[in-house]
Amino acid sequence: MTTTHISTMTTPSLLSPALADPGQPVPAARALGVARIAIGLVQGLILYVLSEQLQDRTRLTMHGMLLHSLLLMGLFIPTMVISGLSHMRVRKLGLWVLLLALLIPALMVHDIWRTDLSAWLLEPALGAWRDSARYVSHPSPQLMLLLPLGLFIAQAMVLAGSHDRRWVAGYPSYFAWAWKLSLQVIFAALFIAALWLILFTGAALFELLKIHFLGNLIGRSWFFIPVTTLACAAAMHLTDVKPAIIANMRKLLLTMLSWLLPLAVLIVAGFLVSLCSNGLQPLWVTGHATAVLLGTAALMVVLINMVYQDGLSTEAPPERLIVWSLRAACALLLPLVALAVYALGLRVSQYGWTPERLYGALGIAVASIYAAGYAIALRRAERLAGLAPVNVSASFAILAVSLATLSPLADPARIAVADQLARVRSGQIAPEQMDLPFMRDDGQRYGVRALAEITQSSDPQLASLREKSQLALQSKNGWQIGAADEERKREVGSNVRMHPAGRELPLEISLKYWPSYVRHDAVPECLRSGASECDGYFIRPPGARRDQLLIIDMYSKPMLLAQDAEDDWEILGTFPIDSSCLPLLRDILEGKGLQWKASSQYELRLGQVAVPLVPSKPGEATCEQ
C-alpha cells in the first residue's frame, strides 16, 4: 500500500497552521492539545446544560425545535472543530462551522415540523398528541442515522480539499482522510469504553467497603457528560498527533480484511449461480430481498476498497488471488444491484411506495453508481484507475441523497402519501384499499393533512373514505383504526375462489385472525385481507381422513391447511415451487388429475417433478397457545 505524502509547511500560529498531511506529525502538539481539551470541556458543559433542560420539561423543552437543534449542534460541531484544528485555516474552518450551524438546525426544524399534526387532528387524538409532543418530541431515527453519516463524509471531503487546496481533492487525500477519521472514531470509542470500565470497576471496589462516593459521582450527569466529551477530545488529539499509530493500524487492518474479499466473491457468485437453477421466486417470498441485496452490495463495495485503497500499488502489489477477486467483485456488483431493482420494482408495482421502499430506491441509486462505474472501470485500465472517480462521485451522491431525504425535497413520507392518493384517483387500487393506518401514523403531517382534505373533498372517488378518514383523525394511532375497522377491512371469504364449484371457504378460516407469518411461513394475503384474491382447492392427500385446503396465489408459496383434533384450521406447510409452475398446478387441480408420490410425507406430482411438502417449523410458545 502506498499513501501520498505531502510535505508540511511550518507556521508560528496554532490557529493558522500548516495544512497537515494525515500521515505527518502535527506541529505545536501541546498547545493544540490544550485547545482541543478546552473545546471538549466546553462541549460537555453545553450538553450537560441542555440535558438538564430536557429533563426539566418546563423551559426549553416546550420549544422542541430549538432545544434539539442546540443539542445536535452541541454534539457534532465541537467534534468537527476538534477534527479540523491544525488541518484547516481559520477562515475556512469558521465558514465550515457557520455552514454547519445553519444546516443542522434547518434539518432538525424540518424533522420536528413534519411531525406537527395539531392543525388536523380531532379530539381525543389531538389531546393525546399534545401530551406526547410535549415530552416525546425527539429527532427521528432517519435523521440520527443519515446526519452523522453525511457529516462524516463531508468532514473527510472538507479536510481533503483543504489539504490539497482544491474544491475537489485528489483521490489519495480522500482515501487518507476518510480512513483517518474512521480509525479516530474507533479509537475514541475504545478509549471512552476503557475509561468507563475503569471507573465502574473502581466504584464496585469501593462499594465492597461501603463507600458510595465514586458510584454516586459517576451517575451524576454533571460528571459523566463532561468526562465523556473530554475523553473523546483527548483520544482524537492523541490519534492526530501520533499519525504513525493511524498509518500502521490502517495498513494492518486493510491487509487483513482484504483477504475476506475472495470468500465474499465465492459466496456471492455461488448465490447468483444458484438463482439460475432455483429461480427468483424464493427471493420475492421473503419480502426483504431488496434490503439483503443492497446490504450485500454495500459489503462488496467496502471490501473492494479495502483492496484498492488509494490505488493498486506497483511497488507492493496485492497477491494475484486478491487482484482477481477484486476484478470479480467489481463485475458481481451489477447483477446484485439489478436484482435489487427488480425486487423493489415488483413491490412498488403491486403495493405502491412506502417510506421504506423509497429509502431502498435511494440506496439503489447510489449502488447503481458503484455498480456501473466499477463495471466500466474493468474495461479501461489494468490498475483499475477508474474506481477512484467512481468512489468520489458516489460520495457526493450519498451527501445529496441524505440531504434531500432529510428535507422537504425528497421526504419519503410526503412522496409515499402522494403515491397512495394517486393510486386511488387513477383506479389502480380501490378506495377501501388505502392504507389508513400508514396515513395516520407513518405519513406524518402529509398523511394527516391528506386525511383532513379527504373529509372535505367532493371527489366521488373518495366518497367511501370520508367516514374512515374522520375516524382516523379521531384515533390516537393507526392500531385503533385497524381495530375499529377490522370487520369491514377483512371480508375474507368472497375473495377466495373455491374449487370445486359450490364449495365455500370454511367459516373458521374466514373469521380467524392470520398474522403475516405463522411459524416462519408467509401467510397468503387473501387470508388476511379482502383486498387480495386467491384460489382454494379442497384436496385429500393419501391417508388423510378429511379434506384439506390448498391455497394458491401469485405472490407466495402454495400453502396446505388442515383441521387439527379440535377442528381448528392450521397450516401444515408449503410447497416450494416456482411461480412458473403455478399454471400447471392449477390445470392439474381443476382437471382432478392431482397425483401424489408414495412417500413418508406429502409430495405433489407435477409431470416428472415431485414437490415435497415443507412442514411448518414449530414456533415459540406464546401465552395464546
Side-chain angles (χ1 to χ4, degrees):
M1 179 192 70
T2 59
T3 306
T4 301
H5 296 284
I6 300 178
S7 59
T8 354
M9 299 183 299
T10 54
T11 178
S13 171
L14 168 65
L15 297 179
S16 183
L19 300 180
D21 189 288
Q24 295 292 339
V26 178
R30 179 172 297 180
L32 184 62
V34 171
R36 283 172 167 156
I37 293 296
I39 293 173
L41 178 61
V42 171
Q43 180 188 26
L45 294 175
I46 291 174
L47 292 177
Y48 162 69
V49 171
L50 293 175
S51 68
E52 288 297 300
Q53 292 291 324
L54 190 63
Q55 298 296 326
D56 189 21
R57 296 185 176 182
T58 56
R59 300 174 187 172
L60 278 177
T61 310
M62 305 298 293
H63 307 281
M65 291 184 179
L66 175 61
L67 176 60
H68 288 98
S69 297
L70 293 174
L71 275 170
L72 287 184
M73 287 193 293
L75 184 62
F76 292 115
I77 291 181
T79 307
M80 298 294 194
V81 174
I82 290 172
S83 172
L85 280 180
S86 84
H87 301 297
M88 296 177 66
R89 300 185 183 279
V90 174
R91 181 171 175 272
K92 287 186 177 179
L93 183 59
L95 290 175
W96 177 229
V97 169
L98 178 61
L99 177 61
L100 293 177
L102 296 174
L103 179 63
I104 292 175
L107 296 178
M108 185 70 253
V109 166
H110 170 259
D111 192 65
I112 293 183
W113 170 84
R114 68 199 291 271
T115 65
D116 184 0
L117 314 178
S118 58
W120 303 284
L121 288 181
L122 305 173
E123 293 293 350
L126 180 59
W129 177 84
R130 284 173 174 161
D131 290 340
S132 63
R134 179 175 299 177
Y135 302 126
V136 196
S137 181
H138 297 305
S140 64
Q142 56 265 29
L143 178 68
M144 296 310 297
L145 175 65
L146 294 177
L147 181 60
L149 174 63
L151 290 178
F152 174 86
I153 296 174
Q155 182 76 357
M157 287 186 158
V158 168
L159 289 172
S162 294
H163 173 263
D164 288 3
R165 298 188 178 184
R166 290 162 39 185
W167 283 102
V168 179
Y171 182 71
S173 293
Y174 283 137
F175 169 81
W177 282 105
W179 273 103
K180 176 178 180 177
L181 291 179
S182 299
L183 292 175
Q184 279 187 302
V185 171
I186 293 173
F187 278 120
L190 291 175
F191 184 76
I192 293 170
L195 169 66
W196 282 104
L197 178 62
I198 293 172
L199 290 175
F200 279 116
T201 302
L205 289 174
F206 280 107
E207 287 289 339
L208 297 176
L209 302 176
K210 306 300 181 184
I211 300 176
H212 310 295
F213 169 74
L214 185 56
N216 293 333
L217 179 65
I218 63 178
R220 303 286 185 181
S221 59
W222 57 263
F223 177 81
F224 70 75
I225 294 179
V227 165
T228 302
T229 57
L230 278 173
C232 181
M236 293 188 68
H237 175 69
L238 290 174
T239 52
D240 192 61
V241 298
K242 301 290 185 181
I245 299 175
I246 295 293
N248 292 333
M249 286 299 298
R250 182 184 70 190
K251 182 176 181 179
L252 176 63
L253 182 66
L254 295 181
T255 302
M256 290 178 58
L257 295 181
S258 65
W259 282 96
L260 295 176
L261 183 60
L263 176 61
V265 167
L266 183 63
I267 292 174
V268 173
F271 164 75
L272 294 174
V273 170
S274 299
L275 284 180
C276 298
S277 57
N278 295 335
L280 300 179
Q281 184 63 23
L283 287 180
W284 318 145
V285 173
T286 64
H288 54 267
T290 303
V292 174
L293 291 167
L294 280 180
T296 305
L299 176 62
M300 295 291 283
V301 168
V302 172
L303 291 175
I304 286 170
N305 284 283
M306 285 181 175
V307 174
Y308 183 71
Q309 299 182 23
D310 56 349
L312 295 180
S313 172
T314 56
E315 297 178 2
E319 296 288 340
R320 183 170 297 181
L321 173 63
I322 301 295
V323 174
W324 280 107
S325 298
L326 174 63
R327 292 180 173 277
C330 291
L332 291 175
L333 269 182
L334 205 55
L336 281 177
V337 175
L339 285 171
V341 171
Y342 185 54
L344 182 65
L346 283 179
R347 288 290 176 181
V348 172
S349 63
Q350 294 167 9
Y351 306 111
W353 288 105
T354 63
E356 292 77 13
R357 292 179 191 131
L358 283 161
Y359 284 120
L362 295 173
I364 286 175
V366 174
S368 299
I369 296 175
Y370 282 112
Y374 285 6
I376 294 172
L378 285 174
R379 304 174 54 188
R380 292 181 57 187
E382 182 180 350
R383 296 179 59 240
L384 300 179
L387 265 62
V390 173
N391 289 337
V392 175
S393 301
S395 297
F396 280 110
I398 292 173
L399 286 177
V401 164
S402 299
L403 188 61
T405 302
L406 297 176
S407 68
L409 183 63
D411 190 317
R414 178 182 64 81
I415 297 174
V417 167
D419 179 68
Q420 281 269 333
L421 293 174
R423 285 166 64 85
V424 171
R425 290 194 169 103
S426 66
Q428 282 185 274
I429 60 174
E432 294 75 17
Q433 293 178 263
M434 178 179 282
D435 192 348
L436 293 180
F438 160 76
M439 301 284 281
R440 171 61 181 83
D441 285 348
D442 300 323
Q444 306 298 338
R445 70 184 288 130
Y446 308 106
V448 174
R449 182 174 62 186
L451 292 175
E453 291 173 355
I454 289 174
T455 62
Q456 305 297 324
S457 174
S458 57
D459 189 342
Q461 286 183 299
L462 303 178
S464 61
L465 285 174
R466 289 174 194 152
E467 183 181 348
K468 294 181 180 180
S469 299
Q470 187 82 5
L471 174 65
L473 295 176
Q474 295 172 332
S475 302
K476 295 181 180 180
N477 51 56
W479 294 105
Q480 286 190 339
I481 305 171
D485 205 30
E486 181 71 18
E487 293 300 324
R488 284 179 290 177
K489 285 200 307 179
R490 294 189 59 207
E491 297 176 353
V492 174
S494 59
N495 60 320
V496 181
R497 296 181 294 269
M498 296 302 302
H499 308 270
R503 298 289 296 269
E504 294 183 356
L505 183 72
L507 186 62
E508 296 83 359
I509 294 180
S510 62
L511 295 180
K512 185 171 182 175
Y513 172 74
W514 297 95
S516 300
Y517 285 83
V518 172
R519 296 179 180 176
H520 309 289
D521 287 318
V523 177
E525 178 71 19
C526 62
L527 296 184
R528 299 184 287 113
S529 170
S532 179
E533 295 185 348
C534 62
D535 290 280
Y537 296 87
F538 280 105
I539 60 176
R540 184 170 296 186
R545 293 178 297 175
R546 290 186 282 187
D547 284 348
Q548 298 177 359
L549 184 63
L550 183 64
I551 298 292
I552 301 177
D553 69 1
M554 292 298 297
Y555 309 113
S556 55
K557 294 175 288 187
M559 179 169 285
L560 187 63
L561 292 84
Q563 290 175 286
D564 59 17
E566 299 177 359
D567 292 335
D568 189 22
W569 286 88
E570 297 291 345
I571 296 173
L572 288 185
T574 57
F575 292 98
I577 61 175
D578 188 81
S579 58
S580 61
C581 299
L582 293 180
L584 175 61
L585 178 58
R586 292 178 192 271
D587 291 341
I588 293 174
L589 287 166
E590 292 173 3
K592 298 181 181 180
L594 187 65
Q595 298 179 12
W596 299 90
K597 181 181 177 182
S599 172
S600 58
Q601 65 180 26
Y602 296 161
E603 286 191 6
L604 287 177
R605 187 87 178 179
L606 300 181
Q608 301 300 317
V609 179
V611 183
L613 176 75
V614 178
S616 295
K617 300 176 183 178
E620 297 179 357
T622 65
C623 295
E624 288 79 12
Q625 291 179 331

